[in-house]
Amino acid sequence: MKGNENRVADGYVLRIHPNDNVLVALQDLKAGERIAYAGIDYVLVDEVPAKHKFFTTDMAAGDEVRMYGVLVGRTVHDVKAGQWMCTDNVKHAAEPYFYRPTAYQWSPPDVSKFQERTFMGYHRSDGRVGTANHWLFIPTVFCENRNLDVIREALHHELGYAVTDKYRMKAHLLRELVERGGDIKTADLTIRESVVPVNRLFKNVDGIKFLNHQGGCGGTRQDAAILGKLLAAYANHPNVAGVTILSLGCQNLQVSDLLTELGTLNPAFDKPLLVFEQQRSRNEEELITEAIRQTFMGLVEANKISRKPAPLSELTLGVKCGGSDGFSGITANPAVGHCADLLVALGGKVLLAEFPELCGAEQYIIDRTNDEAAARKFISLMEGYSTAAEQVGSGFHMNPSPGNIRDGLITDAIKSNGAAKKGGTSPIMDVLDYTEPATKKGLSLVCTPGNDVEATTGKAASGATLILFTTGLGTPTGNPVCPVIKVATNSELARRMEDIIDIDCGPIVTGDRTIEQMGEEILAYCIRAASGTVVPKAVQLNQDDFIPWKRGVSL
């Protein structure tokens, strides 16, 4: 699983690793078709859709199915060479894993093209550098969500951050039709002129963000404690200039608890921090009015901060996949992995998470972790997580979604070994539990679910200042404080959902780009996004998804 084994060859099919006993279809293949690959002819027994696989040898029930050079499943019954691999004939299987001393050797990629490059970031007093400059609203409890919604509507529309004006205009046109007795069904709702404000009052404030959530009270005290750590991590994030906290007063997560977590995380925290408690206010209007007034004063100061050059070593890149397909592990994920290797070689940080989607890739992960304590921490977190899932009648093997399966990812081990490619090939320097901050240069693992929003929420909490998010099926996921860059595995998706996709890795399938070339293009885009010269689609759409993980079973 090293080097350039994921380079896509010209033709109809691809063998990912020399030891694999399945081939990946790069386009739809018909039953009876004769496929020549590496000097061997295969006659297809079934139709094989693009992104799916077919067997290269006759196999008996219980035989090992191998992809990426490792065990990814076992046959349920006898199968023939040329037969389509599907959930009817293959079930998930993965090799056992354990710690063993290794001396993992890594050859860093050539970074001469990027050695002198910088990005334009926001420098914080503690030495960290942000890729954005946001003001953040944090509720300590779900009871304050409605007040946050009121403030969001007021500030976003007045200050030029709203992206819903065109839809408000469409609703207005429909209202006029109803009032006139017109035909709604055939109405032309085309908006021919831009109604989105282009002049923001605070030019250097990239966004005013709101962390609505469903926690802070009820549940368990442990839930509130974990939430406190998460919210403190967001307040401390280098992409955040200042914070407004809204509290009810009687909830489990007290303001004092949140401030204690913040002080523990960063004793030198010195950002503007405004606290408003509803049960100490005379009425709702007074609470919201003062929150808006004082936040405005904070925004005036935040707007005085401007971007300045910073070395690429100050970037922290989260890597994520969601809505994955059968091309994820051979195009976008390894291309993102090469980008990750470039950034590690330049002295930056990379965060790989989604522990349920490392199932079947554990031994490779462990062997790349030179520090024994970190390797054993990974094993402990994986085993604990897996056991918790099994105790409720689930398991990592149930991670692939119906969409994943339809597009060729029929076992979790197939999905996971492709997903692990996002982390590149560099040594793993640290293993972090949920909300723990990344402090070491290089690649770190972060324990999160595979769930798109829970995972991106966790990566940002550990310090990601950009997130690369690969997708084969299309997903709009974003994050309130960390720009999320969408990377398509295939060109059809990039064309069809161009409103949410930033980068197209489809040229890898056609042979027009190598994985290395695509990885360099991705890093170049990251530099522009980190500098504010290009705005990722998820940021343009205010796709501010935020879901805290309660540490229950979530795959």
Side-chain angles (χ1 to χ4, degrees):
M1 298 180 65
K2 300 179 183 178
N4 300 326
E5 65 195 28
N6 272 346
R7 184 184 300 278
V8 174
D10 291 336
Y12 299 100
V13 295
L14 168 74
R15 175 178 277 117
I16 296 175
H17 188 278
N19 294 339
D20 293 354
N21 53 13
V22 296
L23 291 175
V24 182
L26 301 181
Q27 54 186 279
D28 292 340
L29 305 176
K30 297 179 180 179
E33 194 169 355
R34 184 178 297 275
I35 301 296
Y37 185 81
I40 301 175
D41 285 351
Y42 302 95
V43 178
L44 298 183
V45 177
D46 308 300
E47 289 187 0
V48 182
K51 310 177 187 179
H52 284 252
K53 297 87 186 167
F54 64 86
F55 302 102
T56 59
T57 61
D58 294 349
M59 300 171 68
D63 281 356
E64 293 186 351
V65 179
R66 304 188 74 84
M67 277 185 65
Y68 300 98
V70 300
L71 175 66
V72 296
R74 290 186 183 276
T75 50
V76 176
H77 51 70
D78 294 356
V79 297
K80 297 290 186 180
Q83 189 172 341
W84 174 43
M85 183 173 72
C86 62
T87 53
D88 291 336
N89 54 37
V90 171
K91 297 300 180 185
H92 168 83
E95 294 170 342
Y97 56 91
F98 50 90
Y99 174 75
R100 58 189 180 192
T102 60
Y104 183 75
Q105 299 296 316
W106 181 55
S107 298
D110 178 12
V111 294
S112 56
K113 294 180 182 178
F114 299 96
Q115 198 74 57
E116 304 302 321
R117 295 284 299 273
T118 60
F119 73 98
M120 299 295 289
Y122 293 99
H123 293 249
R124 305 303 179 189
S125 62
D126 59 6
R128 293 179 301 160
V129 183
T131 62
N133 196 40
H134 296 305
W135 192 277
L136 190 62
F137 276 80
I138 295 178
T140 58
V141 64
F142 55 80
C143 306
E144 293 302 311
N145 284 346
R146 184 262 178 189
N147 290 334
L148 259 70
D149 291 342
V150 171
I151 295 171
R152 178 195 289 112
E153 183 175 355
L155 293 183
H156 274 198
H157 283 284
E158 187 61 32
L159 297 180
Y161 297 100
V163 296
T164 59
D165 283 358
K166 65 179 178 181
Y167 299 109
R168 295 176 71 187
M169 183 65 74
K170 291 174 190 287
H172 180 74
L173 292 174
L174 290 169
R175 172 180 171 163
E176 289 183 335
L177 279 172
V178 170
E179 291 173 341
R180 297 197 309 266
D183 184 1
I184 296 177
K185 185 175 182 179
T186 60
D188 180 7
L189 299 181
T190 303
I191 304 298
R192 293 178 175 80
E193 295 182 5
S194 173
V195 293
V196 178
V198 294
N199 293 319
R200 290 180 176 173
L201 176 62
F202 301 114
K203 307 293 186 183
N204 291 333
V205 177
D206 297 303
I208 303 172
K209 303 297 183 177
F210 298 79
L211 299 187
N212 292 47
H213 59 79
Q214 302 303 316
C217 203
T220 67
R221 293 302 174 93
Q222 290 86 348
D223 291 341
I226 293 170
L227 179 63
K229 293 179 184 295
L230 178 69
L231 297 178
Y234 270 70
N236 189 54
H237 197 282
N239 288 358
V240 172
V243 183
T244 300
I245 296 174
L246 264 63
S247 169
L248 179 60
C250 58
Q251 71 280 343
N252 284 347
L253 179 55
Q254 291 287 293
V255 170
S256 59
D257 297 329
L258 177 55
L259 298 182
T260 296
E261 291 291 354
L262 189 52
T264 300
L265 182 62
N266 185 359
F269 182 88
D270 62 354
K271 298 175 186 177
L273 184 67
L274 311 174
V275 179
F276 300 90
E277 194 159 276
Q278 188 164 9
Q279 289 173 349
R280 293 176 179 264
S281 298
R282 287 183 298 179
N283 53 54
E284 174 200 279
E285 184 175 355
E286 178 186 79
L287 173 81
I288 292 177
T289 299
E290 281 308 303
I292 291 175
R293 184 203 311 273
Q294 293 189 40
T295 297
F296 251 80
M297 295 167 62
L299 288 167
V300 170
E301 296 304 310
N303 194 51
K304 296 176 181 178
I305 306 170
S306 59
R307 293 180 182 269
K308 297 178 181 178
L312 299 186
S313 58
E314 291 301 322
L315 289 175
T316 301
L317 182 64
V319 293
K320 169 77 179 86
C321 56
S324 297
D325 70 351
F327 283 166
S328 292
I330 62 178
T331 62
N333 287 352
V336 164
H338 186 68
C339 173
D341 283 347
L342 291 169
L343 186 59
V344 169
L346 290 163
K349 298 175 185 173
V350 176
L351 306 179
L352 174 66
E354 304 173 89
F355 274 29
E357 297 181 17
L358 296 177
C359 174
E362 296 98 338
Q363 193 62 58
Y364 179 54
I365 294 291
I366 294 165
D367 290 347
R368 285 169 57 188
T369 309
N370 290 332
D371 179 71
E372 180 177 351
R376 293 194 181 281
K377 183 177 180 180
F378 171 69
I379 293 171
S380 176
L381 288 169
M382 283 292 285
E383 290 179 344
Y385 201 157
S386 178
T387 298
E390 291 167 3
Q391 287 175 342
V392 296
S394 186
F396 286 170
H397 67 283
M398 299 180 72
N399 172 271
S401 70
N404 296 149
I405 294 169
R406 280 195 301 269
D407 267 47
L409 301 178
I410 67 168
T411 75
D412 192 41
I414 293 174
K415 182 177 179 180
S416 293
N417 279 281
K421 294 291 184 181
K422 303 187 305 291
T425 60
S426 71
I428 294 165
M429 306 308 294
D430 207 357
V431 176
L432 310 172
D433 203 351
Y434 185 65
T435 75
E436 288 184 340
T439 59
K440 296 181 180 180
K441 296 290 188 180
L443 175 63
S444 294
L445 304 180
V446 184
C447 184
T448 74
N451 174 286
D452 290 349
V453 180
E454 288 175 324
T456 51
T457 297
K459 286 185 180 73
S462 288
T465 53
L466 288 175
I467 292 175
L468 285 171
F469 191 121
T470 71
T471 182
L473 305 176
T475 175
T477 303
N479 183 264
V481 303
C482 181
V484 177
I485 300 164
K486 290 296 167 41
V487 184
T489 71
N490 62 90
S491 296
E492 188 278 330
L493 170 66
R495 289 189 296 268
R496 179 168 46 84
M497 301 185 75
E498 63 178 357
D499 58 324
I500 68 169
I501 298 297
D502 301 295
I503 300 171
D504 176 17
C505 284
I508 296 175
V509 176
T510 59
D512 294 319
R513 294 282 195 286
T514 65
I515 286 169
E516 292 78 8
Q517 289 169 338
M518 203 73 238
E520 291 179 355
E521 290 184 23
I522 293 171
L523 180 55
Y525 185 98
C526 287
I527 295 170
R528 297 196 299 275
S531 302
T533 58
V534 63
V535 181
K537 302 292 179 56
V539 178
Q540 294 179 34
L541 295 171
N542 277 354
Q543 189 76 39
D544 297 336
D545 301 308
F546 178 79
I547 300 180
W549 181 32
K550 290 185 177 182
R551 297 308 296 262
V553 176
S554 177
L555 301 180

